[in-house]
Amino acid sequence: MDDSELSAHQVVPPAAGRAQIAAISDAEAVAQWLGEYRASPNTQRAYRREAERLLLWLGDRQLTLSQVRRDHLDAFEAFLADPQPRERWIGPTRPRQDPRWRPFRGPLSPASRRQCLVILQGLFAWLVEAGWVAHNPFRLMRDKRRRLDNRQGRVERYLEKPLWDWLWQWLNEVPGEDAAPRVRFEHERRRFVFGFAYLLAPRIGEMAAARMNDFHRREGRWWWHTVGKGGKAASIPVPPDMLRLLGEWRTSLDLSSQPRPDEVAPLLRGLDGRRGIGENRLYRLVRGTFADAADALSARQGEEGVREVALLRRATPHWLRHTALTHQAQAGVELRYLAETARHSRLDTTARYLHAEDAEWHRQQSRHSLSPGADDDGDQAV
């Protein structure tokens, strides 16, 4: 990312002339901050998006980073909730170089606005240390804890077990005998993608980058090796269902059921069965599958499935990771092993997936009743 990509900001002097970075504009200063995340491309891309939105908004108001005040933060948060004029700020996904590109796909949800502010708080903290700005306006927020505390509640963006069970059953519906080879291939691919995501909880970037020989056997057990967020390498146990699924996917590619140690070919393949697929293509594949599943569920259940259909339409690839980790926790996988599967550096991050106590809490709370003599299940005593 360079100066012209982010904004046409004018050259500005650093705060008090004490810059610790070699930059002559806000965009260059932000680019150096983003450079600190070069080892985490997905994080860098997300941070770039939020920084770019801020710089474009400031440029529209002829402000620089060093001029941002506390009241500007409220105005910017309101703008995130309703970017106006819409035709200038909102549009469909297009290449960054396309003149029709827009920085927003739509208004940001409260959670997305909070995440944006968290990222920008970190940006300003770094710029203060770099001597580029004199102060961090986020520190003046009275409700800073509510807005910027990066600790979140339990994960809610996941598919509950009955809905996942229905989805997996739907994914396993075999195309008719007269189906074209392409249809059969796409069926096998999306079935493998969803099974892989559910059984091993990978991030979408890890899935797209996976190679056949990332699956390897050690002392009679199969493991999946991946390099994830922050360049952190990990080996994840491969359960029997995953090994079976891998064998079925490889068979559909006319390969042996188990990968060889020297097999560096992509795990996920394009329609030619050889070339890999990128992260964007994989994202569209998963979202498209969720949309197709929602249509199928709506046709089969009608109004009875309205809530579940809505969830499927909202679901993104990351929901599969949340679903996998949540269901593993509910199945009794210990927290320390769950954290290893998730590649979390903090146990409290993994603990957000622990919904298992809800049922017991709900059962015990049922003892508190308006009806004297009710038992634990709410039935009246005779």
Side-chain angles (χ1 to χ4, degrees):
M1 179 186 66
D2 57 30
D3 192 356
S4 62
E5 283 182 310
L6 269 179
S7 174
H9 270 5
Q10 69 274 27
V11 174
V12 294
R18 295 192 299 272
Q20 304 298 314
I21 55 175
I24 60 171
S25 70
D26 280 353
E28 287 190 9
V30 169
Q32 293 199 33
W33 169 68
L34 290 172
E36 300 295 327
Y37 298 92
R38 64 178 66 88
S40 302
N42 290 336
T43 299
Q44 187 181 61
R45 185 160 49 246
Y47 285 16
R48 179 193 188 280
R49 180 179 63 242
E50 305 306 342
E52 183 171 43
R53 287 168 173 170
L54 175 64
L55 287 183
L56 290 172
W57 183 81
L58 292 175
D60 196 48
R61 287 154 181 76
Q62 299 185 341
L63 294 170
T64 66
L65 290 170
S66 62
Q67 294 172 324
V68 175
R69 303 189 309 266
R70 170 65 181 84
D71 57 303
H72 292 139
L73 300 182
D74 288 338
F76 181 64
E77 185 176 9
F79 166 76
L80 295 175
D82 185 23
Q84 294 293 335
R86 185 179 181 89
E87 62 276 8
R88 180 173 181 179
W89 294 99
I90 298 176
T93 301
R94 300 185 189 279
R96 182 61 181 82
Q97 297 75 21
D98 191 316
R100 297 170 296 174
W101 174 87
R102 298 293 182 268
F104 292 89
R105 306 286 76 78
L108 298 191
S109 67
S112 295
R113 297 198 299 271
R114 178 181 62 184
Q115 182 65 13
C116 175
L117 295 178
V118 167
I119 291 170
L120 295 178
Q121 181 209 21
L123 165 63
F124 268 88
W126 188 89
L127 292 173
V128 169
E129 291 298 317
W132 189 258
V133 299
H135 76 289
N136 184 346
F138 288 89
R139 294 182 63 87
L140 301 178
M141 281 185 163
R142 180 179 177 85
D143 55 351
K144 180 170 176 288
R145 177 181 296 274
R146 178 182 65 82
R147 291 175 179 270
L148 303 181
D149 193 336
N150 210 17
R151 294 170 297 176
Q152 300 180 20
R154 290 178 303 175
V155 169
E156 302 295 344
R157 292 177 298 169
Y158 72 101
L159 304 183
E160 296 173 2
K161 193 64 166 60
L163 181 55
W164 165 258
D165 289 342
W166 179 90
L167 177 63
W168 183 243
Q169 183 180 17
W170 175 79
L171 286 165
N172 279 275
E173 293 178 0
V174 180
E177 294 182 359
D178 57 344
R182 172 172 177 164
V183 172
R184 292 182 177 279
F185 177 84
E186 290 179 334
H187 163 75
E188 291 295 336
R189 183 172 63 181
R190 71 182 185 181
R191 177 174 173 271
F192 177 73
V193 165
F194 274 69
F196 179 18
Y198 181 74
L199 291 170
L200 297 183
R203 298 179 176 90
I204 188 170
E206 297 165 353
M207 295 180 71
R211 300 284 168 174
M212 285 293 183
N213 64 348
D214 289 337
F215 290 89
H216 60 280
R217 184 162 48 190
R218 186 175 70 239
E219 296 183 357
R221 299 183 180 90
W222 281 88
W223 300 80
W224 174 56
H225 176 79
T226 185
V227 178
K229 190 174 181 180
K232 184 177 181 180
S235 288
I236 311 301
V238 176
D241 277 357
M242 183 64 212
L243 191 60
R244 176 182 53 79
L245 194 66
L246 175 62
E248 292 168 352
W249 168 236
R250 287 176 57 82
T251 298
S252 73
L253 297 173
D254 294 325
L255 300 171
S256 61
S257 62
Q258 296 180 354
R260 303 185 310 273
D262 61 347
E263 201 170 352
V264 297
L267 177 66
L268 301 180
R269 309 287 180 89
L271 294 176
D272 63 1
R274 295 187 300 275
R275 291 178 299 173
I277 62 175
E279 189 173 329
N280 289 338
R281 176 69 187 94
L282 180 57
Y283 182 92
R284 294 195 300 272
L285 186 157
V286 174
R287 287 301 305 269
T289 301
F290 274 130
D292 291 344
D295 291 342
L297 184 60
S298 179
R300 297 178 188 185
Q301 295 193 3
E303 293 188 1
E304 293 183 4
V306 168
R307 174 180 174 273
E308 289 73 17
V309 168
L311 287 172
L312 290 174
R313 295 201 190 284
R314 287 176 50 208
T316 68
H318 209 62
W319 281 45
L320 290 173
R321 176 171 162 85
H322 290 327
T323 299
L325 295 172
T326 298
H327 290 184
Q328 287 183 42
Q330 292 173 340
V333 175
E334 293 182 26
L335 182 60
R336 55 176 174 157
Y337 296 130
L338 195 65
E340 290 292 332
T341 296
R343 281 93 68 206
H344 289 155
S345 57
R346 294 167 56 97
L347 285 178
D348 57 353
T349 301
T350 312
R352 296 168 55 213
Y353 295 92
L354 300 180
H355 300 256
E357 293 184 353
D358 283 1
E360 178 60 19
W361 183 12
H362 200 281
R363 188 188 70 80
Q364 294 194 24
Q365 189 75 4
S366 297
R367 298 173 180 173
H368 183 55
S369 172
L370 290 172
S371 303
D375 61 20
D376 287 355
D377 295 323
D379 296 328
Q380 292 292 326
V382 176

